[in-house]
Amino acid sequence: MKVTMPNLGSLASIAGKSLLSNLGHEVILPPPNTKRTLDLGVRYAPEYCCLPLKIVLGNFIEALEKGADTIITVGGWGPCRFGYYSEIQRMILKSLGYKFEMISLEVPHGNLIRMLNYINRLRNKKSLPSFIEAFKLAWAKVVTIEELEKEALRVRPRENIKGETSKILKRGLSLIDNTNSIEEIERIKQKTLIDYSKIIEDNEDKDLIKIKLVGEFYVALEPFVNHNIEEKLGYLGVEVERGVSAIPWISSFLKFFRENKLQDIIENAAEPYLAQSVGGEGQSTIGHIVLASENGMDGAIQVIPFTCMPEIVAEIISKKVSDDLNFPVLTLIYDEQTGEEGLVTRLDAFVDLLKMKKFERHLIRR
Ligand code: SF4
Protein backbone atom coordinates (compact mmCIF):
# COMPACT_ATOMS: atom_id res chain seq x y z
CA MET A 1 0.00 0.00 0.00
CA LYS A 2 1.18 3.53 -0.73
CA VAL A 3 -0.49 5.28 2.15
CA THR A 4 -1.17 8.90 2.84
CA MET A 5 -2.90 10.95 5.53
CA PRO A 6 -3.90 14.58 6.09
CA ASN A 7 -1.33 17.14 7.24
CA LEU A 8 -1.65 18.20 10.87
CA GLY A 9 1.29 20.28 12.04
CA SER A 10 4.28 18.07 12.84
CA LEU A 11 2.13 15.28 14.20
CA ALA A 12 1.14 13.58 10.96
CA SER A 13 4.38 14.24 9.12
CA ILE A 14 6.53 12.86 11.95
CA ALA A 15 4.53 10.58 14.27
CA GLY A 16 1.95 9.32 11.74
CA LYS A 17 4.68 8.66 9.19
CA SER A 18 6.76 6.86 11.83
CA LEU A 19 3.91 4.48 12.71
CA LEU A 20 3.05 3.58 9.14
CA SER A 21 6.58 3.28 7.79
CA ASN A 22 7.58 1.05 10.72
CA LEU A 23 4.68 -1.20 9.75
CA GLY A 24 6.28 -1.56 6.33
CA HIS A 25 3.97 0.77 4.40
CA GLU A 26 5.28 3.11 1.77
CA VAL A 27 4.23 6.51 3.10
CA ILE A 28 3.49 9.27 0.61
CA LEU A 29 2.81 12.42 2.58
CA PRO A 30 0.96 15.31 0.99
CA PRO A 31 3.25 18.30 0.38
CA PRO A 32 3.08 20.91 3.16
CA ASN A 33 -0.14 22.94 2.99
CA THR A 34 0.03 25.82 0.54
CA LYS A 35 -2.38 28.08 -1.29
CA ARG A 36 -2.60 25.38 -3.98
CA THR A 37 -3.82 22.87 -1.36
CA LEU A 38 -6.49 25.30 -0.26
CA ASP A 39 -7.46 26.21 -3.84
CA LEU A 40 -7.90 22.53 -4.76
CA GLY A 41 -10.12 21.93 -1.73
CA VAL A 42 -12.17 25.06 -2.37
CA ARG A 43 -12.58 24.17 -6.05
CA TYR A 44 -13.99 20.69 -5.46
CA ALA A 45 -15.74 20.82 -2.06
CA PRO A 46 -19.29 22.16 -1.63
CA GLU A 47 -19.11 25.86 -0.75
CA TYR A 48 -20.52 25.62 2.77
CA CYS A 49 -18.37 22.73 3.94
CA CYS A 50 -16.08 23.60 6.80
CA LEU A 51 -12.59 24.81 6.05
CA PRO A 52 -10.73 21.75 7.42
CA LEU A 53 -12.69 19.48 5.07
CA LYS A 54 -11.57 21.61 2.12
CA ILE A 55 -7.90 21.72 3.07
CA VAL A 56 -7.78 18.00 3.86
CA LEU A 57 -9.42 17.31 0.49
CA GLY A 58 -6.62 19.38 -1.08
CA ASN A 59 -4.09 17.21 0.84
CA PHE A 60 -5.63 14.05 -0.55
CA ILE A 61 -5.60 15.32 -4.13
CA GLU A 62 -1.94 16.35 -3.84
CA ALA A 63 -0.98 13.00 -2.26
CA LEU A 64 -2.88 11.00 -4.91
CA GLU A 65 -1.10 13.02 -7.60
CA LYS A 66 2.19 11.89 -5.98
CA GLY A 67 1.16 8.23 -6.30
CA ALA A 68 -0.62 7.38 -3.03
CA ASP A 69 -3.25 4.65 -3.39
CA THR A 70 -4.58 4.39 0.17
CA ILE A 71 -5.89 7.22 2.34
CA ILE A 72 -5.93 6.87 6.09
CA THR A 73 -8.18 9.36 7.76
CA VAL A 74 -10.58 9.75 10.66
CA GLY A 75 -14.31 10.16 10.65
CA GLY A 76 -17.63 8.66 11.41
CA TRP A 77 -18.89 10.36 14.55
CA GLY A 78 -20.86 13.54 15.11
CA PRO A 79 -22.88 15.33 16.12
CA CYS A 80 -21.32 17.94 13.81
CA ARG A 81 -20.51 17.42 10.13
CA PHE A 82 -17.40 15.48 11.05
CA GLY A 83 -19.73 12.47 10.99
CA TYR A 84 -19.85 12.42 7.19
CA TYR A 85 -16.66 14.33 6.44
CA SER A 86 -14.55 11.43 5.11
CA GLU A 87 -17.45 9.98 3.12
CA ILE A 88 -17.96 13.31 1.31
CA GLN A 89 -14.25 13.48 0.54
CA ARG A 90 -14.31 9.89 -0.74
CA MET A 91 -17.26 10.66 -3.04
CA ILE A 92 -15.63 13.83 -4.41
CA LEU A 93 -12.32 12.09 -5.09
CA LYS A 94 -14.07 9.17 -6.82
CA SER A 95 -16.06 11.60 -8.97
CA LEU A 96 -12.75 13.19 -10.01
CA GLY A 97 -11.57 9.80 -11.24
CA TYR A 98 -8.97 8.94 -8.57
CA LYS A 99 -8.47 5.28 -7.77
CA PHE A 100 -7.74 4.62 -4.11
CA GLU A 101 -8.91 2.92 -0.98
CA MET A 102 -9.95 5.02 2.00
CA ILE A 103 -9.56 3.68 5.54
CA SER A 104 -11.61 5.86 7.83
CA LEU A 105 -10.86 5.29 11.50
CA GLU A 106 -13.72 5.91 13.89
CA VAL A 107 -13.53 6.18 17.67
CA PRO A 108 -14.08 2.58 18.83
CA HIS A 109 -15.74 3.72 22.11
CA GLY A 110 -14.27 0.73 23.91
CA ASN A 111 -15.39 -1.65 21.14
CA LEU A 112 -12.57 -4.19 21.14
CA ILE A 113 -13.62 -5.85 17.88
CA ARG A 114 -13.60 -2.54 16.01
CA MET A 115 -10.25 -1.72 17.56
CA LEU A 116 -8.75 -5.06 16.49
CA ASN A 117 -10.20 -4.58 13.03
CA TYR A 118 -8.31 -1.26 12.69
CA ILE A 119 -5.11 -2.80 13.97
CA ASN A 120 -5.43 -5.64 11.46
CA ARG A 121 -5.94 -3.25 8.58
CA LEU A 122 -2.95 -1.12 9.54
CA ARG A 123 -0.46 -3.72 10.71
CA ASN A 124 0.39 -4.94 7.21
CA LYS A 125 0.82 -8.58 8.24
CA LYS A 126 3.29 -7.60 10.98
CA SER A 127 2.98 -9.46 14.27
CA LEU A 128 1.02 -7.87 17.10
CA PRO A 129 4.23 -7.25 19.13
CA SER A 130 5.73 -5.45 16.10
CA PHE A 131 2.59 -3.34 15.85
CA ILE A 132 2.81 -2.48 19.54
CA GLU A 133 6.49 -1.49 19.18
CA ALA A 134 5.73 0.74 16.20
CA PHE A 135 2.82 2.29 18.08
CA LYS A 136 4.89 2.93 21.21
CA LEU A 137 7.55 4.69 19.16
CA ALA A 138 4.96 6.85 17.35
CA TRP A 139 3.25 7.66 20.65
CA ALA A 140 6.58 8.73 22.19
CA LYS A 141 7.01 11.05 19.20
CA VAL A 142 3.51 12.54 19.63
CA VAL A 143 4.04 13.21 23.34
CA THR A 144 7.53 14.69 22.85
CA ILE A 145 6.50 16.88 19.90
CA GLU A 146 3.66 18.32 21.96
CA GLU A 147 5.93 18.91 24.97
CA LEU A 148 8.55 20.70 22.90
CA GLU A 149 5.98 22.77 21.02
CA LYS A 150 4.26 23.78 24.27
CA GLU A 151 7.55 24.75 25.88
CA ALA A 152 8.37 26.80 22.77
CA LEU A 153 5.25 28.84 23.51
CA ARG A 154 6.68 29.78 26.91
CA VAL A 155 10.20 30.40 25.60
CA ARG A 156 9.48 32.38 22.41
CA PRO A 157 8.23 35.60 24.06
CA ARG A 158 11.30 35.49 26.34
CA GLU A 159 13.98 34.81 23.72
CA ASN A 160 16.79 37.34 23.45
CA ILE A 161 17.22 36.92 19.69
CA LYS A 162 14.08 36.80 17.60
CA GLY A 163 13.56 33.46 15.86
CA GLU A 164 15.93 31.38 18.03
CA THR A 165 13.12 29.35 19.64
CA SER A 166 11.66 28.35 16.30
CA LYS A 167 15.13 27.35 15.06
CA ILE A 168 15.76 25.13 18.09
CA LEU A 169 12.31 23.59 17.83
CA LYS A 170 12.75 22.88 14.13
CA ARG A 171 16.10 21.18 14.80
CA GLY A 172 14.60 19.07 17.60
CA LEU A 173 11.65 18.00 15.45
CA SER A 174 13.91 17.04 12.58
CA LEU A 175 16.01 14.85 14.92
CA ILE A 176 12.84 13.19 16.27
CA ASP A 177 11.73 12.57 12.71
CA ASN A 178 14.98 10.76 11.95
CA THR A 179 15.20 8.43 14.92
CA ASN A 180 13.62 5.07 15.64
CA SER A 181 14.65 4.87 19.27
CA ILE A 182 12.54 5.91 22.25
CA GLU A 183 15.71 6.48 24.33
CA GLU A 184 17.06 8.77 21.64
CA ILE A 185 13.77 10.72 21.59
CA GLU A 186 14.21 11.35 25.32
CA ARG A 187 17.81 12.53 24.75
CA ILE A 188 16.66 14.89 21.98
CA LYS A 189 13.97 16.27 24.26
CA GLN A 190 16.40 16.97 27.09
CA LYS A 191 18.92 18.58 24.73
CA THR A 192 16.21 20.78 23.17
CA LEU A 193 14.99 21.88 26.60
CA ILE A 194 18.55 22.83 27.57
CA ASP A 195 18.95 24.78 24.32
CA TYR A 196 15.70 26.62 25.06
CA SER A 197 16.86 27.56 28.54
CA LYS A 198 20.11 29.04 27.15
CA ILE A 199 18.31 31.56 24.96
CA ILE A 200 16.13 33.01 27.70
CA GLU A 201 18.78 33.66 30.35
CA ASP A 202 17.71 36.56 32.62
CA ASN A 203 14.19 36.50 31.15
CA GLU A 204 12.90 33.44 32.95
CA ASP A 205 10.75 35.44 35.39
CA LYS A 206 9.45 38.02 32.91
CA ASP A 207 5.81 38.83 33.67
CA LEU A 208 4.10 38.47 30.33
CA ILE A 209 0.57 38.58 28.99
CA LYS A 210 -0.80 35.03 29.05
CA ILE A 211 -3.40 33.89 26.54
CA LYS A 212 -5.19 30.58 26.29
CA LEU A 213 -5.64 29.40 22.71
CA VAL A 214 -8.86 27.44 22.31
CA GLY A 215 -11.19 26.38 19.52
CA GLU A 216 -11.57 23.84 16.78
CA PHE A 217 -8.93 21.11 16.79
CA TYR A 218 -7.64 21.34 13.21
CA VAL A 219 -7.50 25.12 12.97
CA ALA A 220 -5.82 25.36 16.38
CA LEU A 221 -3.10 22.84 15.51
CA GLU A 222 -2.37 23.46 11.82
CA PRO A 223 -0.13 26.53 11.46
CA PHE A 224 -0.85 27.08 7.75
CA VAL A 225 -4.56 27.34 8.48
CA ASN A 226 -4.30 29.56 11.56
CA HIS A 227 -1.62 31.75 9.93
CA ASN A 228 0.98 30.77 12.51
CA ILE A 229 -0.96 32.39 15.29
CA GLU A 230 1.20 30.91 18.06
CA GLU A 231 4.39 32.32 16.57
CA LYS A 232 2.78 35.71 15.89
CA LEU A 233 1.59 36.00 19.48
CA GLY A 234 5.00 34.93 20.76
CA TYR A 235 6.63 37.74 18.79
CA LEU A 236 4.10 40.16 20.31
CA GLY A 237 5.50 39.16 23.71
CA VAL A 238 2.61 36.87 24.63
CA GLU A 239 2.93 33.54 26.38
CA VAL A 240 0.42 31.22 24.76
CA GLU A 241 -1.00 28.15 26.43
CA ARG A 242 -2.61 25.60 24.14
CA GLY A 243 -6.10 24.44 25.05
CA VAL A 244 -6.11 21.93 22.20
CA SER A 245 -3.95 18.85 22.20
CA ALA A 246 -3.76 15.76 20.02
CA ILE A 247 -3.07 13.50 22.99
CA PRO A 248 -6.61 13.24 24.44
CA TRP A 249 -7.92 13.14 20.89
CA ILE A 250 -5.76 10.17 19.92
CA SER A 251 -6.43 8.59 23.32
CA SER A 252 -10.15 8.66 22.59
CA PHE A 253 -9.39 6.10 19.86
CA LEU A 254 -7.87 3.89 22.52
CA LYS A 255 -10.59 4.26 25.08
CA PHE A 256 -8.66 1.78 27.20
CA PHE A 257 -5.75 4.19 27.73
CA ARG A 258 -7.87 7.29 27.98
CA GLU A 259 -6.76 9.75 30.62
CA ASN A 260 -10.11 11.02 31.84
CA LYS A 261 -9.13 13.31 34.65
CA LEU A 262 -8.16 16.40 32.70
CA GLN A 263 -11.16 16.13 30.40
CA ASP A 264 -13.42 15.77 33.45
CA ILE A 265 -11.98 18.96 34.94
CA ILE A 266 -12.57 20.83 31.67
CA GLU A 267 -16.13 19.53 31.30
CA ASN A 268 -16.93 20.37 34.95
CA ALA A 269 -15.67 23.92 34.41
CA ALA A 270 -17.91 24.26 31.33
CA GLU A 271 -20.93 22.76 33.04
CA PRO A 272 -22.63 25.94 34.39
CA TYR A 273 -22.64 27.35 30.85
CA LEU A 274 -22.70 24.29 28.61
CA ALA A 275 -23.59 21.06 30.31
CA GLN A 276 -23.30 18.71 27.35
CA SER A 277 -21.20 18.07 24.29
CA VAL A 278 -22.17 19.95 21.16
CA GLY A 279 -19.63 18.06 19.07
CA GLY A 280 -16.05 18.91 18.19
CA GLU A 281 -14.32 20.93 20.90
CA GLY A 282 -17.32 23.21 21.67
CA GLN A 283 -17.74 22.22 25.30
CA SER A 284 -13.98 22.10 25.93
CA THR A 285 -13.63 25.62 24.51
CA ILE A 286 -15.98 26.92 27.21
CA GLY A 287 -14.32 24.84 29.95
CA HIS A 288 -10.88 26.11 28.97
CA ILE A 289 -12.04 29.74 29.00
CA VAL A 290 -13.48 29.35 32.51
CA LEU A 291 -10.32 27.61 33.75
CA ALA A 292 -8.04 30.20 32.11
CA SER A 293 -9.89 32.94 33.97
CA GLU A 294 -9.70 31.04 37.27
CA ASN A 295 -5.97 30.45 36.73
CA GLY A 296 -5.23 34.16 36.40
CA MET A 297 -4.52 34.23 32.68
CA ASP A 298 -5.14 37.51 30.88
CA GLY A 299 -7.43 36.40 28.05
CA ALA A 300 -8.39 33.73 25.57
CA ILE A 301 -8.44 33.49 21.80
CA GLN A 302 -10.93 31.16 20.16
CA VAL A 303 -10.12 30.03 16.61
CA ILE A 304 -13.01 28.83 14.45
CA PRO A 305 -13.32 27.58 10.91
CA PHE A 306 -16.15 29.39 9.12
CA THR A 307 -19.48 27.53 9.57
CA CYS A 308 -18.15 25.26 12.36
CA MET A 309 -21.30 24.37 14.30
CA PRO A 310 -19.79 23.41 17.71
CA GLU A 311 -17.56 26.47 17.84
CA ILE A 312 -20.37 28.83 16.81
CA VAL A 313 -22.36 27.51 19.79
CA ALA A 314 -19.28 28.02 21.98
CA GLU A 315 -18.74 31.52 20.58
CA ILE A 316 -22.24 32.63 21.57
CA ILE A 317 -21.85 31.16 25.06
CA SER A 318 -18.33 32.56 25.46
CA LYS A 319 -19.76 36.10 25.37
CA LYS A 320 -21.74 35.36 28.54
CA VAL A 321 -18.69 33.68 30.14
CA SER A 322 -16.56 36.67 29.23
CA ASP A 323 -19.09 39.13 30.75
CA ASP A 324 -19.63 37.09 33.92
CA LEU A 325 -15.94 36.60 34.60
CA ASN A 326 -14.74 39.94 33.21
CA PHE A 327 -12.37 37.92 31.08
CA PRO A 328 -11.57 39.09 27.51
CA VAL A 329 -12.15 36.58 24.73
CA LEU A 330 -11.28 37.24 21.08
CA THR A 331 -12.94 35.05 18.46
CA LEU A 332 -11.19 34.63 15.11
CA ILE A 333 -13.13 33.03 12.28
CA TYR A 334 -11.02 31.54 9.51
CA ASP A 335 -12.12 30.91 5.95
CA GLU A 336 -10.40 30.79 2.58
CA GLN A 337 -10.48 34.60 2.39
CA THR A 338 -8.75 35.20 5.73
CA GLY A 339 -5.83 37.55 5.19
CA GLU A 340 -2.63 38.03 7.12
CA GLU A 341 -2.89 41.81 7.64
CA GLY A 342 -6.39 41.78 9.14
CA LEU A 343 -5.37 39.02 11.51
CA VAL A 344 -2.25 40.84 12.70
CA THR A 345 -4.24 44.02 13.31
CA ARG A 346 -6.78 42.17 15.45
CA LEU A 347 -4.10 40.35 17.43
CA ASP A 348 -2.22 43.62 18.03
CA ALA A 349 -5.36 45.38 19.25
CA PHE A 350 -6.33 42.48 21.53
CA VAL A 351 -2.87 42.24 23.08
CA ASP A 352 -2.86 46.04 23.68
CA LEU A 353 -6.23 45.72 25.42
CA LEU A 354 -4.91 42.95 27.67
CA LYS A 355 -1.80 44.97 28.50
CA MET A 356 -3.98 47.94 29.47
CA LYS A 357 -6.19 45.79 31.68
CA LYS A 358 -3.14 44.26 33.34
CA PHE A 359 -1.67 47.70 33.98
CA GLU A 360 -4.97 48.87 35.53
CA ARG A 361 -5.01 45.81 37.81
CA HIS A 362 -1.48 46.66 39.01
CA LEU A 363 -2.54 50.27 39.74
CA ILE A 364 -5.59 49.09 41.76
CA ARG A 365 -3.44 46.70 43.81
CA ARG A 366 -0.98 49.44 44.80
S1 SF4 B 1 -15.79 20.52 14.45
FE1 SF4 B 1 -16.41 22.18 13.10
S2 SF4 B 1 -14.87 22.27 11.50
FE2 SF4 B 1 -14.68 20.27 12.51
S3 SF4 B 1 -15.99 18.94 11.28
FE3 SF4 B 1 -17.25 19.69 12.95
S4 SF4 B 1 -18.29 21.50 12.07
FE4 SF4 B 1 -16.55 21.01 10.74
Side-chain angles (χ1 to χ4, degrees):
M1 289 201 291
K2 295 178 180 176
V3 296
T4 192
M5 68 197 111
N7 286 329
L8 180 64
S10 313
L11 292 167
S13 61
I14 297 179
K17 184 182 75 178
S18 166
L19 174 66
L20 295 170
S21 57
N22 280 308
L23 292 173
H25 296 293
E26 185 181 341
V27 182
I28 299 188
L29 292 174
N33 290 340
T34 59
K35 187 164 181 313
R36 178 173 188 266
T37 318
L38 177 60
D39 287 347
L40 285 169
V42 170
R43 190 179 317 153
Y44 296 116
E47 188 183 353
Y48 285 101
C49 280
C50 26
L51 185 64
L53 183 147
K54 294 176 183 172
I55 296 182
V56 170
L57 179 66
N59 285 162
F60 292 156
I61 293 175
E62 290 187 305
L64 292 168
E65 284 171 348
K66 280 174 73 185
D69 59 24
T70 306
I71 293 171
I72 296 182
T73 189
V74 287
W77 74 97
C80 73
R81 286 174 285 178
F82 197 56
Y84 47 86
Y85 199 111
S86 58
E87 187 51 25
I88 289 179
Q89 289 163 331
R90 195 185 66 76
M91 287 162 64
I92 295 170
L93 293 170
K94 289 283 178 195
S95 74
L96 293 173
Y98 291 108
K99 296 200 177 4
F100 63 94
E101 188 197 356
M102 182 179 268
I103 301 176
S104 179
L105 308 175
E106 299 172 19
V107 173
H109 294 299
N111 182 333
L112 193 60
I113 294 175
R114 188 184 286 175
M115 189 71 207
L116 289 174
N117 187 22
Y118 290 152
I119 291 173
N120 276 337
R121 295 199 77 179
L122 295 179
R123 79 186 163 103
N124 198 22
K125 300 195 179 112
K126 297 264 181 200
S127 65
L128 197 57
S130 304
F131 178 85
I132 292 171
E133 280 311 302
F135 181 82
K136 275 163 62 182
L137 177 69
W139 183 249
K141 291 190 179 191
V142 169
V143 172
T144 309
I145 290 168
E146 285 223 336
E147 278 183 51
L148 294 180
E149 288 182 347
K150 282 183 179 171
E151 181 61 4
L153 300 178
R154 192 186 71 83
V155 173
R156 189 172 288 114
R158 295 178 166 84
E159 66 190 7
N160 288 315
I161 303 172
K162 188 177 173 185
E164 282 294 290
T165 311
S166 299
K167 255 194 237 163
I168 293 170
L169 175 63
K170 198 170 166 200
R171 192 164 58 225
L173 294 180
S174 158
L175 291 170
I176 292 170
D177 189 21
N178 288 311
T179 184
N180 269 338
S181 148
I182 292 181
E183 292 72 31
E184 183 60 17
I185 292 172
E186 180 59 27
R187 270 195 291 278
I188 295 164
K189 181 177 109 179
Q190 294 309 330
K191 167 84 171 69
T192 307
L193 293 176
I194 291 169
D195 289 348
Y196 280 156
S197 65
K198 285 184 190 157
I199 60 166
I200 56 169
E201 274 168 7
D202 304 326
N203 290 339
E204 193 66 59
D205 300 326
K206 230 177 177 180
D207 185 21
L208 300 169
I209 295 291
K210 292 195 176 114
I211 291 180
K212 190 92 183 179
L213 186 64
V214 297
E216 193 270 340
F217 181 85
Y218 184 80
V219 174
L221 291 182
E222 173 49 47
F224 171 80
V225 181
N226 64 37
H227 293 262
N228 262 311
I229 191 169
E230 291 179 339
E231 214 171 62
K232 283 191 171 61
L233 286 166
Y235 294 144
L236 287 174
V238 172
E239 185 174 334
V240 179
E241 206 178 276
R242 271 188 197 169
V244 177
S245 156
I247 292 174
W249 205 75
I250 297 170
S251 301
S252 63
F253 272 86
L254 318 162
K255 189 82 174 171
F256 320 97
F257 303 148
R258 184 179 164 186
E259 176 47 86
N260 263 319
K261 278 187 207 133
L262 181 60
Q263 193 55 29
D264 287 347
I265 293 169
I266 297 163
E267 284 169 17
N268 286 341
E271 221 242 316
Y273 295 98
L274 184 57
Q276 65 186 62
S277 169
V278 287
E281 288 68 43
Q283 192 186 21
S284 298
T285 292
I286 297 301
H288 278 302
I289 293 172
V290 173
L291 290 171
S293 162
E294 287 174 2
N295 293 335
M297 297 190 75
D298 298 288
I301 295 181
Q302 179 199 18
V303 290
I304 307 184
F306 182 56
T307 76
C308 172
M309 184 272 277
E311 291 300 328
I312 290 170
V313 173
E315 182 200 4
I316 294 161
I317 296 171
S318 74
K319 295 194 188 330
K320 165 98 177 113
V321 182
S322 174
D323 285 349
D324 285 359
L325 305 178
N326 187 22
F327 185 71
V329 179
L330 172 69
T331 297
L332 297 172
I333 300 178
Y334 289 83
D335 66 10
E336 47 264 42
Q337 316 292 344
T338 300
E340 195 87 3
E341 290 80 15
L343 179 75
V344 171
T345 308
R346 294 194 68 192
L347 291 179
D348 265 337
F350 187 60
V351 172
D352 281 348
L353 171 88
L354 298 186
K355 282 182 181 163
M356 225 151 59
K357 279 184 83 98
K358 192 169 184 133
F359 181 65
E360 281 167 11
R361 281 200 302 275
H362 280 308
L363 285 184
I364 292 167
R365 268 192 226 126
R366 274 196 200 163

PDB file of all heavy atoms in Angstrom, residues 50 52 80-82 85 216 280 305 308-310, ligand 1:
ATOM      1  N   CYS A  50     -17.023  22.882   5.938  1.00  0.00           N
ATOM      2  CA  CYS A  50     -16.084  23.598   6.803  1.00  0.00           C
ATOM      3  C   CYS A  50     -14.678  23.592   6.219  1.00  0.00           C
ATOM      4  O   CYS A  50     -14.307  22.694   5.455  1.00  0.00           O
ATOM      5  CB  CYS A  50     -16.112  23.054   8.221  1.00  0.00           C
ATOM      6  SG  CYS A  50     -16.614  21.363   8.366  1.00  0.00           S
ATOM      7  N   PRO A  52     -11.622  22.907   7.344  1.00  0.00           N
ATOM      8  CA  PRO A  52     -10.729  21.746   7.423  1.00  0.00           C
ATOM      9  C   PRO A  52     -11.049  20.686   6.370  1.00  0.00           C
ATOM     10  O   PRO A  52     -10.138  20.083   5.809  1.00  0.00           O
ATOM     11  CB  PRO A  52     -10.978  21.194   8.840  1.00  0.00           C
ATOM     12  CG  PRO A  52     -11.474  22.364   9.617  1.00  0.00           C
ATOM     13  CD  PRO A  52     -12.256  23.194   8.641  1.00  0.00           C
ATOM     14  N   CYS A  80     -21.479  16.945  14.876  1.00  0.00           N
ATOM     15  CA  CYS A  80     -21.317  17.937  13.813  1.00  0.00           C
ATOM     16  C   CYS A  80     -21.057  17.229  12.485  1.00  0.00           C
ATOM     17  O   CYS A  80     -21.124  16.014  12.397  1.00  0.00           O
ATOM     18  CB  CYS A  80     -20.185  18.894  14.150  1.00  0.00           C
ATOM     19  SG  CYS A  80     -18.571  18.122  13.969  1.00  0.00           S
ATOM     20  N   ARG A  81     -20.683  17.996  11.471  1.00  0.00           N
ATOM     21  CA  ARG A  81     -20.513  17.424  10.131  1.00  0.00           C
ATOM     22  C   ARG A  81     -19.338  16.464  10.018  1.00  0.00           C
ATOM     23  O   ARG A  81     -19.162  15.820   8.995  1.00  0.00           O
ATOM     24  CB  ARG A  81     -20.348  18.573   9.122  1.00  0.00           C
ATOM     25  CG  ARG A  81     -21.649  19.258   8.880  1.00  0.00           C
ATOM     26  CD  ARG A  81     -21.463  20.461   8.025  1.00  0.00           C
ATOM     27  NE  ARG A  81     -20.860  21.549   8.775  1.00  0.00           N
ATOM     28  CZ  ARG A  81     -20.559  22.720   8.254  1.00  0.00           C
ATOM     29  NH1 ARG A  81     -20.778  22.949   6.991  1.00  0.00           N
ATOM     30  NH2 ARG A  81     -20.042  23.666   8.989  1.00  0.00           N
ATOM     31  N   PHE A  82     -18.535  16.398  11.078  1.00  0.00           N
ATOM     32  CA  PHE A  82     -17.403  15.477  11.051  1.00  0.00           C
ATOM     33  C   PHE A  82     -17.887  14.055  10.782  1.00  0.00           C
ATOM     34  O   PHE A  82     -17.162  13.236  10.240  1.00  0.00           O
ATOM     35  CB  PHE A  82     -16.668  15.554  12.395  1.00  0.00           C
ATOM     36  CG  PHE A  82     -15.293  14.976  12.343  1.00  0.00           C
ATOM     37  CD1 PHE A  82     -14.373  15.447  11.431  1.00  0.00           C
ATOM     38  CD2 PHE A  82     -14.923  13.954  13.196  1.00  0.00           C
ATOM     39  CE1 PHE A  82     -13.101  14.917  11.363  1.00  0.00           C
ATOM     40  CE2 PHE A  82     -13.658  13.411  13.137  1.00  0.00           C
ATOM     41  CZ  PHE A  82     -12.745  13.891  12.217  1.00  0.00           C
ATOM     42  N   TYR A  85     -17.825  13.656   7.013  1.00  0.00           N
ATOM     43  CA  TYR A  85     -16.660  14.331   6.441  1.00  0.00           C
ATOM     44  C   TYR A  85     -15.873  13.431   5.469  1.00  0.00           C
ATOM     45  O   TYR A  85     -15.701  13.743   4.298  1.00  0.00           O
ATOM     46  CB  TYR A  85     -15.828  14.628   7.683  1.00  0.00           C
ATOM     47  CG  TYR A  85     -14.764  15.653   7.693  1.00  0.00           C
ATOM     48  CD1 TYR A  85     -14.938  16.824   8.434  1.00  0.00           C
ATOM     49  CD2 TYR A  85     -13.550  15.442   7.065  1.00  0.00           C
ATOM     50  CE1 TYR A  85     -13.928  17.741   8.530  1.00  0.00           C
ATOM     51  CE2 TYR A  85     -12.548  16.364   7.162  1.00  0.00           C
ATOM     52  CZ  TYR A  85     -12.744  17.513   7.890  1.00  0.00           C
ATOM     53  OH  TYR A  85     -11.742  18.415   7.984  1.00  0.00           O
ATOM     54  N   GLU A 216     -11.455  25.074  17.560  1.00  0.00           N
ATOM     55  CA  GLU A 216     -11.571  23.839  16.778  1.00  0.00           C
ATOM     56  C   GLU A 216     -10.190  23.197  16.591  1.00  0.00           C
ATOM     57  O   GLU A 216      -9.193  23.876  16.310  1.00  0.00           O
ATOM     58  CB  GLU A 216     -12.220  24.158  15.419  1.00  0.00           C
ATOM     59  CG  GLU A 216     -12.667  22.946  14.655  1.00  0.00           C
ATOM     60  CD  GLU A 216     -11.604  22.381  13.721  1.00  0.00           C
ATOM     61  OE1 GLU A 216     -10.658  23.130  13.379  1.00  0.00           O
ATOM     62  OE2 GLU A 216     -11.706  21.209  13.347  1.00  0.00           O
ATOM     63  N   GLY A 280     -17.369  18.290  18.308  1.00  0.00           N
ATOM     64  CA  GLY A 280     -16.048  18.913  18.193  1.00  0.00           C
ATOM     65  C   GLY A 280     -15.483  19.276  19.550  1.00  0.00           C
ATOM     66  O   GLY A 280     -15.586  18.521  20.518  1.00  0.00           O
ATOM     67  N   PRO A 305     -13.129  27.590  12.357  1.00  0.00           N
ATOM     68  CA  PRO A 305     -13.316  27.583  10.906  1.00  0.00           C
ATOM     69  C   PRO A 305     -14.733  28.070  10.584  1.00  0.00           C
ATOM     70  O   PRO A 305     -15.674  27.733  11.312  1.00  0.00           O
ATOM     71  CB  PRO A 305     -13.155  26.109  10.520  1.00  0.00           C
ATOM     72  CG  PRO A 305     -13.152  25.321  11.777  1.00  0.00           C
ATOM     73  CD  PRO A 305     -13.202  26.241  12.958  1.00  0.00           C
ATOM     74  N   CYS A 308     -18.331  26.384  11.420  1.00  0.00           N
ATOM     75  CA  CYS A 308     -18.149  25.263  12.360  1.00  0.00           C
ATOM     76  C   CYS A 308     -19.232  25.320  13.436  1.00  0.00           C
ATOM     77  O   CYS A 308     -19.249  26.235  14.257  1.00  0.00           O
ATOM     78  CB  CYS A 308     -16.765  25.346  13.003  1.00  0.00           C
ATOM     79  SG  CYS A 308     -16.538  24.150  14.329  1.00  0.00           S
ATOM     80  N   MET A 309     -20.128  24.361  13.408  1.00  0.00           N
ATOM     81  CA  MET A 309     -21.295  24.375  14.303  1.00  0.00           C
ATOM     82  C   MET A 309     -20.918  24.367  15.796  1.00  0.00           C
ATOM     83  O   MET A 309     -21.361  25.244  16.539  1.00  0.00           O
ATOM     84  CB  MET A 309     -22.223  23.219  13.924  1.00  0.00           C
ATOM     85  CG  MET A 309     -23.506  23.138  14.681  1.00  0.00           C
ATOM     86  SD  MET A 309     -23.318  22.167  16.204  1.00  0.00           S
ATOM     87  CE  MET A 309     -23.492  20.520  15.605  1.00  0.00           C
ATOM     88  N   PRO A 310     -20.086  23.427  16.267  1.00  0.00           N
ATOM     89  CA  PRO A 310     -19.791  23.407  17.707  1.00  0.00           C
ATOM     90  C   PRO A 310     -19.142  24.705  18.199  1.00  0.00           C
ATOM     91  O   PRO A 310     -19.454  25.201  19.283  1.00  0.00           O
ATOM     92  CB  PRO A 310     -18.816  22.235  17.868  1.00  0.00           C
ATOM     93  CG  PRO A 310     -19.005  21.394  16.662  1.00  0.00           C
ATOM     94  CD  PRO A 310     -19.433  22.296  15.563  1.00  0.00           C
TER      95      PRO A 310
HETATM   96  S1  SF4 B   1     -15.785  20.520  14.450  1.00  0.00           S
HETATM   97 FE1  SF4 B   1     -16.412  22.183  13.095  1.00  0.00          FE
HETATM   98  S2  SF4 B   1     -14.872  22.266  11.500  1.00  0.00           S
HETATM   99 FE2  SF4 B   1     -14.681  20.273  12.514  1.00  0.00          FE
HETATM  100  S3  SF4 B   1     -15.992  18.938  11.276  1.00  0.00           S
HETATM  101 FE3  SF4 B   1     -17.250  19.692  12.952  1.00  0.00          FE
HETATM  102  S4  SF4 B   1     -18.285  21.495  12.067  1.00  0.00           S
HETATM  103 FE4  SF4 B   1     -16.550  21.012  10.742  1.00  0.00          FE
END
